[in-house]
Amino acid sequence: ETGVTQTPRHLVMGMTNKKSLKCEQHLGHNAMYWYKQSAKKPLELMFVYNFKEQTENNSVPSRFSPECPNSSHLFLHLHTLQPEDSALYLCASSQELGVGANVLTFGAGSRLTVL
Amino acid sequence: SQKIEQNSEALNIQEGKTATLTCNYTNYSPAYLQWYRQDPGRGPVFLLLIRENEKEKRKERLKVTFDTTLKQSLFHITASQPADSATYLCALARTPVTGTYKYIFGTGTRLKVLA
């Protein structure tokens, strides 16, 4: 395993549901990220947290709400999603921000299907 | 606009041969370039990082080149094995004027090594 654990691995939800994705890292890293990966598209950065403070929101719709209670845990709360939000959501962590040689450690992802 | 191009078609090669994957970029001057491997149903895994002032980097059977004149990186796997079959992503980051380094990912190239 990579040291970054995501749950659930698979999630099916209706457009009116509320659900959450969870990410936990055991690497002692200070930065955590949410990425969206859709078929045939590059990874899209959604949110970045550094020392549990949000440093970036990449114009993500408000139906996605992140939460970072500490440097080891990251959540993505989902509410009234659209079918086009169906994708693989990847959590990643890195030692720190502001360093060009940052290496990202990814979790296995949460496969989300919105009906 | 900034663009990263990786061959979207799958690359099939015979076991034992050298696989060469290409990452081209336009309207971009990256300071760092990374290569990741992604297996189906998993998150990307970091392989190699190369800086703009480095021409080449090696790690075991892997070699990365970085040509800032051609705006291209090549990723080589020598003596390829069926276990090398995966999707390979390149990611680039440029030195920010303000804020932190952000990596932009390509769509990836799927490699299949035939036994």
Side-chain angles (χ1 to χ4, degrees):
Chain A
E1 294 303 321
T2 65
V4 178
T5 304
Q6 290 188 244
T7 55
R9 292 294 312 279
H10 300 273
L11 179 63
V12 179
M13 59 186 290
M15 289 190 285
T16 58
N17 290 160
K18 282 186 183 181
K19 297 285 185 184
S20 296
L21 306 180
K22 179 183 175 182
C23 176
E24 183 175 0
Q25 59 99 357
H26 305 278
L27 301 169
H29 288 170
N30 298 314
M32 297 189 77
Y33 312 73
W34 279 116
Y35 282 87
K36 176 183 179 181
Q37 188 174 37
S38 305
K40 308 290 185 184
K41 289 186 177 181
L43 283 170
E44 298 174 48
L45 179 63
M46 299 175 71
F47 302 102
V48 182
Y49 279 82
N50 192 36
F51 290 98
K52 77 178 185 178
E53 298 297 322
Q54 187 179 116
T55 59
E56 182 142 357
N57 176 337
N58 205 21
S59 302
V60 179
S62 59
R63 57 186 184 270
F64 294 92
S65 174
E67 179 190 0
C68 189
N70 54 60
S71 293
S72 299
H73 294 85
L74 185 63
F75 296 88
L76 188 62
H77 303 299
L78 316 170
H79 178 46
T80 58
L81 295 191
Q82 305 297 312
E84 59 265 29
D85 296 322
S86 299
L88 182 67
Y89 288 85
L90 290 162
C91 173
S93 68
S94 67
Q95 183 62 50
E96 56 188 315
L97 284 183
V99 177
N102 248 347
V103 170
L104 296 170
T105 302
F106 286 88
S110 293
R111 171 69 63 185
L112 173 66
T113 303
V114 182
L115 302 176
Chain B
S1 62
Q2 301 159 5
K3 197 172 180 182
I4 300 172
E5 289 184 350
Q6 292 187 257
N7 193 341
S8 58
E9 293 182 13
L11 176 66
N12 293 336
I13 65 164
Q14 208 62 39
E15 182 177 8
K17 301 291 185 184
T18 295
T20 298
L21 307 178
T22 305
C23 177
N24 294 305
Y25 57 92
T26 55
N27 298 323
Y28 206 70
S29 297
Y32 297 87
L33 190 148
Q34 298 184 11
W35 283 88
Y36 288 78
R37 168 184 173 143
Q38 187 172 21
D39 291 284
R42 313 294 293 180
V45 174
F46 170 76
L47 296 174
L48 281 168
L49 176 145
I50 188 166
R51 294 169 172 79
E52 62 178 334
N53 60 351
E54 297 174 320
K55 297 289 186 188
E56 183 180 297
K57 210 69 167 295
R58 291 175 186 261
K59 178 183 175 183
E60 297 171 354
R61 294 184 296 112
L62 309 179
K63 184 177 85 171
V64 171
T65 63
F66 193 5
D67 190 326
T68 55
T69 301
L70 290 179
K71 294 187 181 294
Q72 181 182 78
S73 174
L74 298 178
F75 178 78
H76 306 272
I77 305 175
T78 57
S80 60
Q81 305 165 1
D84 295 325
S85 299
T87 296
Y88 292 86
L89 309 173
C90 70
L92 289 71
R94 63 182 177 192
T95 301
V97 175
T98 59
T100 63
Y101 286 88
K102 296 178 196 176
Y103 274 90
I104 299 175
F105 282 80
T107 53
T109 298
R110 190 158 53 90
L111 171 69
K112 187 169 183 180
V113 180
L114 306 170

